[in-house]
Amino acid sequence: MEPPSSHVPAAKDGPLWVADRRDSSRDGESDPARDIKTHFRVCRFIVETGVKLGMRSVPVATACVLYHRFFERVSTRAYEPYLVAMSCVYLAGKVEEQHIRTRDIINVSHRFFNSGSAPLECDKEFWDLRDSVVQCELLILRQLNFHVSFEHPHKYLLHYLLSVRSLVNRHAWSRTPVAETSWALLRDCYHGAMCIHHIPQHIAIAILYLALNSYGVELPVGEREWWQVLCEDVTKADIDAVISDLLQLYDMEAKCI
């Protein structure tokens, strides 16, 4: 059975189960504050969809970066954000070599908006949506000039955690969930554009700094601060900037509930 031909839906003509969730104010002028809320909600959708699809953390992070990079270049009025998000998940799976079937992405997304519903039948609606996801993937590639491989903070955070753990009393380390908190904070960074506005090493250092301070874990004092030893080009201002952006995201989360 050949899927019907389609185009990439714009914000006003996307799939009904997606478009109905669209903020009707997009028919007017673009509102930066409203766009930030939209991007937060859509990235939360990407993360939840990635978890349900069994994606690893790096492919999910890549999907979020693809989404933020794309909407740096185009308006949310031009393209349906949730459709773009689905295509970002699909493309990220290819980039990070964890291929996800379009059918699985569509069904998980369908259930996200229609809790408890049965999977979509392979009818015209399904094929139209599948074709839109694939066409949108090509649009993303063109908009990003095929630059879709990114360096993430994950490998740096892992290295920094191992380095810091060796400096802390093992009993004190086991009593505080510094590592778990750090990974959770890193995941949350991808809900906003801060993940593309700061370099990966600085994000990793700032997250670890925040996690250590949150639990009152102190490291041995030397000639230089521990974060300067691990990352020579980072400054306290860089750390404060990352933490400030992250705290703004948590404030945004409260407004999006």
Side-chain angles (χ1 to χ4, degrees), residues 45-56 59-60 63 85-86 88-90 93 98-109:
F45 160 78
I46 290 175
V47 172
E48 292 183 17
T49 298
V51 170
K52 291 176 182 176
L53 289 168
M55 296 179 74
R56 301 186 302 270
V60 172
M86 292 166 64
C88 287
V89 170
Y90 182 52
Q98 188 182 6
H99 298 275
I100 307 295
R101 297 189 307 172
T102 52
R103 178 172 179 79
D104 292 335
I105 295 172
I106 290 171
N107 281 326
V108 169
S109 301

Side-chain angles (χ1 to χ4, degrees), residues 178-250:
V178 171
E180 294 84 350
T181 300
S182 297
W183 290 116
L185 292 172
L186 178 57
R187 180 195 61 217
D188 293 343
C189 285
Y190 286 89
H191 285 70
M194 64 170 291
C195 64
I196 63 175
H197 293 158
H198 300 282
I199 68 174
Q201 295 93 323
H202 293 181
I203 292 177
I205 282 288
I207 282 172
L208 182 52
Y209 180 94
L210 179 58
L212 289 170
N213 282 3
S214 297
Y215 293 105
V217 177
E218 297 183 356
L219 300 181
V221 178
E223 294 182 1
R224 294 190 296 169
E225 297 284 355
W226 64 266
W227 39 269
Q228 292 175 316
V229 175
L230 293 177
C231 183
E232 293 185 353
D233 70 335
V234 71
T235 66
K236 186 59 166 59
D238 294 326
I239 293 174
D240 290 342
V242 173
I243 292 176
S244 175
D245 285 350
L246 180 57
L247 294 179
Q248 287 181 34
L249 277 181
Y250 288 128

Side-chain angles (χ1 to χ4, degrees), residues 11-38:
K12 294 184 181 180
D13 64 355
L16 291 179
W17 59 270
V18 173
D20 286 347
R21 303 271 174 171
R22 189 185 73 247
D23 192 324
S24 60
S25 63
R26 275 197 205 120
D27 294 335
E29 292 298 321
S30 179
D31 183 338
R34 188 174 291 110
D35 285 347
I36 292 174
K37 289 184 180 180
T38 296

